[in-house]
Amino acid sequence: MPLERLQRLLADIYDADVGLDVRDFLVTARGGAAALARAEPAADEVLLLRESPEGLDVTLYVDEAVLRRLADADPFESLADHNLADLCTVLEGVSHFQYLVWSAQRGRAVSLLELETQAEVDKFVGAFALLARQHGRVPPGLHARLFERVGYLGSLEAAARARYETANRLAARYCRRLQQRYLDRRAFRPDLALRALRAFWRLPHRPKLNLASA
């Protein structure tokens, strides 16, 4: 299962190890997620949160079918159109878990928009890293594939849809600048890209969103 490898990939990119294994917080059965959330999960990936006197309880739901398909088509071996959507589903969940836990360990509050924007960036960065390792280059259409050819669940409430659309727009702007400045073939500086990404990860809510929208 690539779940733990994706967690390690993000932890290495951002130099942000949280000291917890995401698999220990994983639920893959839709019924189990529904019991925890008291509602049927609306997507194949949902981060479930519940405050208690002891602190914050975190559960990551990723549909078992998604994980099974990725086990059969490992994106660390070959990433292409046939497994990109499943990779992004799992990367989103791992990003949510990693960023929320990292922030909680530092006593930082996280907004839903901040969480979604970081996850959108992480999907691009994670896919870019895997493709670069496998092919030594990244298809020029990756940015458009992740940020332009997207759809949203019809069951989303208006506020949730607006949040996802805003996160997509902010992350698209940030990742376009990141790629143009540090990751294009004519200006390939992965060391500077890593420095920029790690600084972005650590920014608090308002500065992060302001930088993304610049």
Side-chain angles (χ1 to χ4, degrees):
M1 183 189 300
L3 196 73
E4 67 276 15
R5 297 173 72 188
L6 290 175
Q7 184 183 22
R8 174 46 51 195
L9 177 67
L10 292 184
D12 288 347
I13 288 172
Y14 293 107
D15 190 22
D17 191 342
V18 298
L20 298 172
D21 190 331
V22 66
R23 292 172 296 176
D24 294 335
F25 300 82
L26 180 68
V27 170
T28 62
R30 187 168 290 269
L36 288 169
R38 298 180 181 178
E40 188 77 9
D44 289 338
E45 171 275 322
V46 180
L47 189 68
L48 304 171
L49 306 176
R50 183 177 61 186
E51 289 190 82
S52 69
E54 291 75 30
L56 186 66
D57 294 331
V58 180
T59 302
L60 175 63
Y61 164 69
V62 180
D63 189 86
E64 58 187 345
V66 174
L67 294 174
R68 187 165 56 247
R69 289 195 298 268
L70 278 188
D72 293 336
D74 188 348
F76 282 85
E77 296 297 327
S78 177
L79 177 60
D81 282 343
H82 69 286
N83 58 356
L84 179 61
D86 285 334
L87 170 71
C88 287
T89 296
V90 179
L91 261 175
E92 183 169 3
V94 173
S95 171
H96 286 157
F97 175 85
Q98 196 79 357
Y99 190 66
L100 181 72
V101 171
W102 185 89
S103 299
Q105 289 172 340
R106 288 154 181 80
R108 287 177 40 169
V110 177
S111 74
L112 291 175
L113 179 57
E114 182 184 351
L115 199 68
E116 295 299 341
T117 301
Q118 184 66 57
E120 291 296 302
V121 171
D122 291 350
K123 286 188 281 188
F124 176 81
V125 171
F128 193 104
L130 292 180
L131 288 167
R133 289 179 186 180
Q134 292 165 18
H135 305 291
R137 62 179 181 82
V138 175
L142 178 65
H143 188 277
R145 174 70 177 81
L146 293 182
F147 294 115
E148 296 174 21
R149 303 207 302 270
V150 298
Y152 302 96
L153 293 171
S155 59
L156 281 175
E157 296 180 355
R161 183 183 177 96
R163 183 171 63 250
Y164 285 122
E165 289 175 341
T166 300
N168 175 276
R169 184 178 69 254
L170 292 175
R173 290 175 65 89
Y174 177 76
C175 291
R176 173 63 71 193
R177 292 198 309 274
L178 184 82
Q179 185 170 2
Q180 289 174 342
R181 291 175 181 176
Y182 307 124
L183 298 174
D184 278 345
R185 184 172 299 179
R186 289 174 298 178
F188 189 64
R189 291 295 307 272
D191 56 327
L192 296 183
L194 274 179
R195 186 183 304 173
L197 284 166
R198 290 171 179 178
F200 182 79
W201 174 278
R202 286 161 173 77
L203 285 174
H205 170 78
R206 183 50 54 190
K208 180 187 289 280
L209 299 184
N210 287 343
L211 177 60
S213 64

